Structure formats: structure tokens, C-alpha cells
Amino acid sequence: MATQSSHSQQLMRSERRMFSASDDSAMMKQIQSTHSPDGRFLDVKPILQVIDNVLRHLTPTIDHHALNGGQGHMDAIDDSSATMDSNGMLEALAFLVHKISCEISCKCSGGGDAHATTMVLLNTLSSYSWDAKVVLTLAAFTVNFGECWLVLQLCTTNSLAKSVALLKQLPDILEYSHTLKPHFDALHKLIKAMMEVTKCIVEFTELPSQYISSDLPPMSIAVAHIPTAAYWTIRSVVACAAQITSLVGTRYEFVTSTSEAWELSSLAHKVCSIHEHLQKILQHCHQHIDEKKQTEAYEGLKHSFGTPQLDNSKILLKIFSLSKEDPHSLLGPDKAKVHIEVLRRKHVLLLISDLDITHEEIQVLESLYKYDRVTSEVNYEIVWLPIVDRSAWNDSYQQKFLSLQSMMPWYTVNHPSIIEPAVVKYTREVWNFVKKPIVVTLDPLGKMTCPNALNMLWIWGNTAFPFTTDREASLWKAEAWTVELLVDGLEPNLSNWVRQEKVICLYGGEEMEWIESFTSATKNVAQFLGIGLEMVYVGKNNAKERVKKITGLINERQLSHAWQDANVWFFWKRLESMLFSKTQHGKTNEIDVIKQEVMTLLGYDGSEQGWAVFFSGTDMVRAKGDKVLNAIQSFEQWEDMARVSGFVSAIRGHLEGIADEHHCTRLILPGISGGIAETVVCAECGRTMEMYFMYRCCVE
């Protein structure tokens, strides 16, 4: 046994010398020269599964408890992985595995050089692929290793095992079990590293060739590194086998040396480094494959939208990344899973947003979907398509998603993760989704009929059904700049006021002093002229809390009518929608009165002053804060004209005669898909306005 121990030490010293040598080109040529595959295919996955099952249950038992007769996890081995396929395959390869096993045992027992032994094994396996070489070598090692530890575990309870252990002098291991712990720990780490590298090599062979080529990076990089990884894994097998052989018949003089444990630890460090490197390459490969798959999916989606369909089923399956086998990842209005068939041959409105969609937007859509849709007898369905950053997903986003989902009375996805990156890319590049919600309409055949019908929904509601671009154009042709278009259903008394031929004044701003002066002066003029007047405060865009305070003061002092939060929000949202809808249809400021007036009001809101617009029938006039207040306070200058031509006509004539020495008009628009006109004309002087960019996070 002393001879055997010296051989082991000699092998370890040789291992130390070879391990310190670099993987130079000469060595790589030597390794590559052994590789002569004959094209045979060997599915190593079932074999590797059996190996993993054995080693997983063996390596945790290499401790003091197991060495003193503990059963460890051996009794818990699950042999379910040993399927008929793996049994049959192992039976066919049994001779080769036995041959390799004997080769390893003989070389290690004789104190052979680790590098030379590794090269012998590579030559024996020359006709196999690199993954097969490693797996078959591991299989041979597992047989020897498993037999050894099986005898060791059973020797205290089984007479046959005890006799075998005695012949192998395994009881000596029990005697020095405490001292041998560093050896066993090092052995465990190296075996674990070997398995990780082997699994990684096998994973490379399973990458789909239609998406990645072995001739191009990153796969070509992997191909260049796999032979080195295979060599060091097989060489690690040889080192482990030598360590186990050296422990058989161990004597105290060998036990006191820790150099062998250090050798295994150093080798484990190298193999772990190889594994980390392969993992990085593998990650790049998967990223490359994902990009290829998403490009293919993106092009497939574009092709589907460009090809006439029998119905909308195919399109919807692709949008929601569903399969015909499992098309149940949508939730219905009652939050139960539904089949995609419920949307077949229906008009579908895709509500596309991130998780910052506002409660006001949901509430208005809810009113249109649950109530107006029924009364107007239009047949469409809404499906929420949430666009999120998967990499940033956390519990907070999950709760936010579930909260929004619970508020929506229409169809939603079960989870944002089912929306593939290709679909997200399509929403951004083709449908121009950026940040603000959009509604893409699909007809019953799956054809996209409007890239953003949300503007139509805000302006006309369900009257715009079926929400096509042509329908939007025809609705604009029938519109004129009237108080009915501006106010719509936000003011319940509007129809009575119009019928009674009252002067209607809408005003806004956040200067309470100006509001008090303006409302008081205007009501005095109306009373003096004996005309009917109704005034409505419409607030200011994106100033919810400040407007709420002003509304409270207006109501308290009975200065005028004042809308609540929801109506104020919707008033400004409709104005923005009118502008973007007009912009999408390519109208210019000079010939489009409605667009010009909308931009004027939005420009007024962008200033620090108040503003007012007066309607009387089809007559209209508007102006900013101090200008309109001064005009009202100078009533005696246009009183006679007012009695002849009416209040609105007279004040307009008076305002037109006032030249501003200086003015500053700002038009602040939200970032939204659909495009913004590059040329904008000032409502006050008619000059082209300069364009600036504004970044804002606070809406108050």
C-alpha cells in the first residue's frame, strides 16, 4: 500500500506541473488531433440525467456522518430518470463505458500521468462529439465512484459489503475520517464543477441551428472553447479517480499531507472559471437566438397584418402570444379565463398603455364601454395590452398591474409577460406607442383600421363607431367650431342655455383675484345690457389640487358655475385629442378654424394668466386675462355697438382694435404618439412660434 501511496503522490506532483502550464496552441493542437467524429448522433441527455441523479445523492454523503455508517441520502435516490430510452442507450454503450472505467482505474492505480491518461481517453472516444466524450467519461467515473461509496455506506450493516470493504481496506478511511474531510470537501467541489461544465457543453449542442450558426459569433467562440473545456473536465475526472484510488488503503503518512486536497481545489477553481466563461458565451448565444426569434416573430406579425385573413383569430393569437393548443391567457370582464374565440369576428379595440394609465382615463372608457355602448347598440370589445419593462418587473409593479386590472370591466391579459418583445416592438415602431395610452382598432377580419382611435373616443364617444380613419375624417367634415363641440356633454345645462339664446362664457386660469374681477365685471355688463349670461369655470390643465381650491372658492362666493375634477380633466383631454386628431389628418393652421381655435385655448392655458371665450349662437370671441378684463371694464367704449350688434360681436370689434405692445404665448403639449405639427402659428399675432422641448414629471 505504501507503493500505491507514493504513486498517488507522484501523480499529484505531475498534476501540479501540468495544471500550471497554460493551454497553449501546441496543447490545443494535440487535443484537436484526437477529434475525428464519424457523424453519429448520441443523445447524451438521458445518460447525463442518470449521472446527475447518482452524483447528487453521493456527494452530500461525503462527510463524517456518512463515513461512520450514516445512510445519508442514498435511500432517497429517485431512479425515475432511468427511463426505457436511457436503459437501452446505456445497454448499447455498456462495453465502451466499462472500457473507459477500466482505463481510468488502471492508469490511476499505476500512478500514470494525468495529461497522458486524459489523451488516452480522448483517443478512445475520438469518433464521438465533444459532449459525448465528456458524458461517457463521467459515466465511467460514476460507476467506479458509486460502487466505492455504496460499499462504504453498507459496510456497517451488510456482511457482504463489510467483507468487500475489508478487502479494499476501506475501514482505514473510517479510521481517519476527520482528517480526510478536506479531501472529501475538495472532491465534492470538483465533481460539482465538472457537472456544471458538462451540462453547459451539452446545452450548447441543443441550441437551435436555424437561429445560430457555428461559423459565426457568438457560437463560433463557443466552438473554439469547448475542446478546452472538455479536456479539463475529463482531466478532472482522472484527478478525482486518482484521489479516490489513493484513499483506498490509506495510511497515516498519506493522511497528514494536505497537498492533494489543494490540488483538487486548484483544479476545481480552474474548472469553475471555465464554467463561468462558457456561461457568458451561452448567455450571448441565447440573447442572439432570442433576437433572431423576435425578428422572425416581428416580421411574421407584419406579414399577418399585411395579408387578408378569414377572421381576426390568427392576428389575436399572435398579438397575445397564445397558441391554438392553449388560447386561454385572456381574462374576461369577470376576470375568469376565456378562450380567444370570444373575440372572433368582433370589432376589437386594443387599449395599449403602460402601468401609468390614469384612473380618469379608465373611468371615461368604462362609461363608454359599459353604458353608452349598450344604449347606442354598437358591438365592440376592448382588450388591455399592457406594455411593461420585463427586466424591471417587481412586486410593486405586480400589485399596480393587478389594481389596474381589477378596475377594468373589459378583457385583459392574464399577465404582461405573455406579450412578447416582438409585439412590444410592433406597438412602438408601427403603431407609434410611446408613453400615453393609444387605442388600435381591428375590424372583424383582423385588419387595423385606425392606429389610434382614442382621440375619437374622447371627442365623439361611441358615435365614432366603428372607429376607422375614414370615419374620423367624415366626422370632422360635419363639425364646426361651436360651444357644443367644445363642451359636449360636460355641461348638462348647455342645451337649455343655447335654446334660450344666452351668452355662454367659458373661462380658466388660477389667479383668484383676476377671476373675481372678471366674473363681477362681466355679470355687471350683462345685467346692464339686459342679456342672459352663463359663466363656467373650466380650470387649468394638470393643476388638479390648485384648481380644486379655486373651484371651492368660486362655489362658496357664487361667482359662476364651476366643474368638478373629472369634468375639468376631460375638457382639456378632449382639446388635446382634437389637436392630435386634426394633426393626424394633415390639416394646416391657416385653413382649419377648429384646429386654430383649439391651439389658441391650449396656448392660453400655457400662460400664467386667465382667459375667456364667449359664445352667442355661432358668434364667438376669446382673449387672454388682462386684455379681456380691460375690455369688459371699458364697456362704455363699445356699449352702443353692443346694443346694435350684440355683446359678442361688439367686444370682438373692441378687442380687434387693441394692439398688444408685447405678448408671450406658450403652447404646452403632452408627449403623445400621432405627431405634432412642426409649424405652429401664434394665436395673438399670427407669427410662427419657436419650438422648444419641455420635460416634466409633476402634474400639479
Side-chain angles (χ1 to χ4, degrees):
M1 288 300 172
T3 303
Q4 195 174 52
S5 178
S6 63
H7 283 174
S8 176
Q9 293 184 39
Q10 181 183 352
L11 184 147
M12 289 298 180
R13 285 193 292 271
S14 174
E15 175 69 21
R16 182 161 52 245
R17 290 195 302 272
M18 291 302 300
F19 182 71
S20 62
S22 62
D23 299 331
D24 56 21
S25 58
M27 181 177 173
M28 282 306 304
K29 288 180 181 178
Q30 188 181 10
I31 295 170
Q32 289 282 10
S33 67
T34 67
H35 189 56
S36 181
D38 57 10
R40 78 181 73 181
F41 171 74
L42 177 61
D43 183 8
V44 299
K45 202 72 178 287
I47 304 174
L48 185 60
Q49 191 175 1
V50 175
I51 295 170
D52 188 39
N53 192 39
V54 173
L55 295 180
R56 272 190 305 109
H57 291 87
L58 282 178
T59 50
T61 68
I62 306 176
D63 54 26
H64 176 68
H65 172 68
L67 293 174
N68 284 278
Q71 290 301 306
H73 297 280
M74 287 298 294
D75 293 338
I77 288 180
D78 176 15
D79 62 356
S80 61
S81 60
T83 62
M84 292 299 293
D85 290 340
S86 61
N87 282 335
M89 190 178 300
L90 287 170
E91 184 178 351
L93 296 169
F95 176 77
L96 180 59
V97 171
H98 179 69
K99 181 180 179 181
I100 298 170
S101 177
C102 292
E103 191 74 49
I104 294 173
S105 298
C106 291
K107 295 294 182 182
C108 291
S109 299
D113 180 89
H115 171 70
T117 302
T118 303
M119 297 306 297
V120 168
L121 295 176
L122 287 174
N123 279 301
T124 302
L125 296 164
S126 62
S127 59
Y128 290 89
S129 59
W130 289 108
D131 61 312
K133 296 179 201 291
V134 177
V135 171
L136 289 172
T137 304
L138 264 178
F141 166 74
T142 303
V143 171
N144 288 348
F145 186 40
E147 287 177 350
C148 177
W149 289 106
L150 191 59
V151 170
L152 180 64
Q153 284 203 318
L154 296 176
C155 67
T156 57
T157 58
N158 184 284
S159 59
L160 176 60
K162 184 176 181 180
S163 299
V164 173
L166 185 62
L167 291 173
K168 286 179 172 286
Q169 296 192 28
L170 288 179
D172 285 345
I173 297 178
L174 302 181
E175 182 181 351
Y176 301 115
S177 59
H178 289 287
T179 311
L180 290 173
K181 190 175 187 306
H183 296 268
F184 298 134
D185 290 342
L187 194 63
H188 169 68
K189 290 178 182 178
L190 183 53
I191 290 173
K192 184 175 182 293
M194 286 157 40
M195 282 300 299
E196 287 176 341
V197 170
T198 303
K199 289 177 181 178
C200 203
I201 293 173
V202 171
E203 193 171 347
F204 276 112
T205 67
E206 296 177 330
L207 297 178
S209 59
Q210 67 268 35
Y211 295 114
I212 192 165
S213 171
S214 60
D215 299 327
L216 298 172
M219 190 61 186
S220 60
I221 301 173
V223 171
H225 285 79
I226 285 175
T228 302
Y231 168 83
W232 282 107
T233 304
I234 293 174
R235 186 158 164 175
S236 296
V237 168
V238 173
C240 289
Q243 175 72 85
I244 293 170
T245 300
S246 69
L247 292 176
V248 176
T250 295
R251 285 292 182 261
Y252 180 76
E253 66 272 12
F254 178 80
V255 172
T256 56
S257 172
T258 60
S259 61
E260 290 75 20
W262 181 89
E263 294 289 353
L264 292 183
S265 296
S266 299
L267 195 54
H269 177 75
K270 182 175 184 66
V271 176
C272 284
S273 297
I274 291 173
H275 176 251
E276 289 177 6
H277 186 59
L278 289 180
Q279 278 293 101
K280 290 178 182 178
I281 301 173
L282 189 60
Q283 184 178 356
H284 287 302
C285 287
H286 282 302
Q287 184 178 347
H288 178 85
I289 292 168
D290 287 343
E291 289 173 358
K292 288 285 187 180
K293 285 183 176 180
Q294 293 308 322
T295 299
E296 182 180 83
Y298 177 76
E299 293 301 324
L301 193 59
K302 285 177 64 176
H303 180 265
S304 295
F305 271 110
T307 306
Q309 306 288 329
L310 295 176
D311 57 45
N312 57 4
S313 299
K314 183 178 179 181
I315 294 292
L316 292 174
L317 285 170
K318 288 195 172 185
I319 290 174
F320 297 105
S321 306
L322 307 177
S323 65
K324 291 182 179 180
E325 293 74 24
D326 183 26
H328 294 89
S329 292
L330 291 181
L331 300 186
D334 60 355
K335 308 312 172 194
K337 281 192 174 184
V338 296
H339 195 285
I340 195 70
E341 189 71 14
V342 298
L343 300 175
R344 185 173 177 269
R345 287 191 172 275
K346 288 186 178 182
H347 290 273
V348 175
L349 276 57
L350 300 176
L351 172 59
I352 302 173
S353 78
D354 58 17
L355 299 184
D356 291 327
I357 184 172
T358 66
H359 291 187
E360 289 88 351
E361 287 167 318
I362 295 175
Q363 287 168 358
V364 174
L365 278 175
E366 179 181 15
S367 176
L368 293 172
Y369 180 76
K370 287 184 68 175
Y371 308 112
D372 294 353
R373 184 174 65 111
V374 177
T375 57
S376 56
E377 297 182 350
V378 293
N379 184 23
Y380 66 83
E381 296 295 347
I382 298 177
V383 187
W384 183 34
L385 193 68
I387 304 299
V388 300
D389 181 1
R390 292 188 182 186
S391 62
W393 192 259
N394 54 34
D395 291 341
S396 176
Y397 288 135
Q398 175 70 9
Q399 293 305 314
K400 193 172 185 180
F401 165 73
L402 293 175
S403 176
L404 290 171
Q405 187 184 56
S406 66
M407 295 172 60
M408 297 180 178
W410 44 76
Y411 294 90
T412 65
V413 295
N414 187 31
H415 194 273
S417 60
I418 74 166
I419 303 170
E420 293 292 338
V423 178
V424 175
K425 180 181 178 182
Y426 195 88
T427 64
R428 298 192 186 282
E429 296 190 3
V430 179
W431 292 336
N432 299 314
F433 169 72
V434 181
K435 174 68 177 175
K436 297 293 182 179
I438 63 173
V439 169
V440 176
T441 57
L442 305 180
D443 70 9
L445 297 182
K447 180 182 178 182
M448 191 273 290
T449 54
C450 184
N452 187 8
L454 197 57
N455 295 325
M456 276 187 275
L457 285 162
W458 291 160
I459 300 167
W460 296 289
N462 287 321
T463 305
F465 182 80
F467 312 111
T468 64
T469 303
D470 291 341
R471 176 61 175 160
E472 188 174 13
S474 66
L475 286 169
W476 276 127
K477 287 180 181 179
E479 289 289 1
W481 183 244
T482 62
V483 68
E484 288 89 349
L485 173 64
L486 183 58
V487 175
D488 193 49
L490 295 174
E491 176 52 62
N493 300 307
L494 180 64
S495 59
N496 290 333
W497 296 345
V498 172
R499 188 171 60 254
Q500 295 166 12
E501 298 183 349
K502 289 185 175 183
V503 173
I504 301 169
C505 173
L506 305 179
Y507 71 97
E510 53 180 333
E511 295 179 355
M512 195 62 208
E513 184 179 349
W514 178 89
I515 290 173
E516 288 188 298
S517 299
F518 172 70
T519 54
S520 177
T522 304
K523 286 190 286 186
N524 287 339
V525 168
Q527 185 177 7
F528 191 80
L529 290 174
I531 61 173
L533 171 70
E534 297 292 346
M535 304 183 74
V536 181
Y537 175 66
V538 299
K540 185 176 178 65
N541 198 17
N542 293 328
K544 185 176 180 180
E545 294 304 319
R546 297 196 298 273
V547 168
K548 186 182 293 186
K549 293 179 182 178
I550 294 170
T551 298
L553 291 173
I554 290 173
N555 289 329
E556 180 184 332
R557 300 172 189 179
Q558 298 183 343
L559 301 179
S560 71
H561 300 279
W563 288 337
Q564 297 301 310
D565 296 345
N567 282 14
V568 170
W569 173 85
F570 195 44
F571 174 81
W572 294 106
K573 179 61 67 175
R574 287 186 74 251
L575 278 177
E576 291 172 356
S577 296
M578 289 180 194
L579 175 58
F580 289 120
S581 177
K582 283 288 187 179
T583 301
Q584 284 177 341
H585 284 273
K587 299 296 183 182
T588 62
N589 299 326
E590 291 76 15
I591 63 173
D592 195 318
V593 174
I594 294 177
K595 183 176 179 180
Q596 181 64 50
E597 293 301 329
V598 167
M599 292 180 69
T600 299
L601 294 185
L602 290 171
Y604 285 169
D605 186 65
S607 71
E608 301 299 329
Q609 302 181 38
W611 58 271
V613 55
F614 293 94
F615 286 93
S616 179
T618 58
D619 213 0
M620 182 275 298
V621 65
R622 38 52 177 184
K624 287 202 293 188
D626 289 341
K627 187 174 182 179
V628 70
L629 178 57
N630 291 335
I632 294 292
Q633 291 174 339
S634 304
F635 168 63
E636 69 279 356
Q637 297 179 22
W638 49 276
E639 176 185 353
D640 293 341
M641 182 62 70
R643 296 188 183 280
V644 175
S645 59
F647 175 88
V648 173
S649 179
I651 195 173
R652 183 174 62 249
H654 179 74
L655 289 168
E656 288 172 353
I658 300 174
D660 288 335
E661 294 183 3
H662 173 75
H663 70 272
C664 181
T665 300
R666 290 180 295 171
L667 177 61
I668 301 176
L669 300 174
I672 191 170
S673 59
I676 296 176
E678 294 185 6
T679 302
V680 178
V681 176
C682 176
E684 298 295 318
C685 63
R687 292 197 300 266
T688 300
M689 300 175 70
E690 291 187 69
M691 180 185 288
Y692 289 85
F693 293 96
M694 179 178 181
Y695 298 90
R696 184 175 182 175
C697 69
C698 181
V699 297
E700 288 299 322

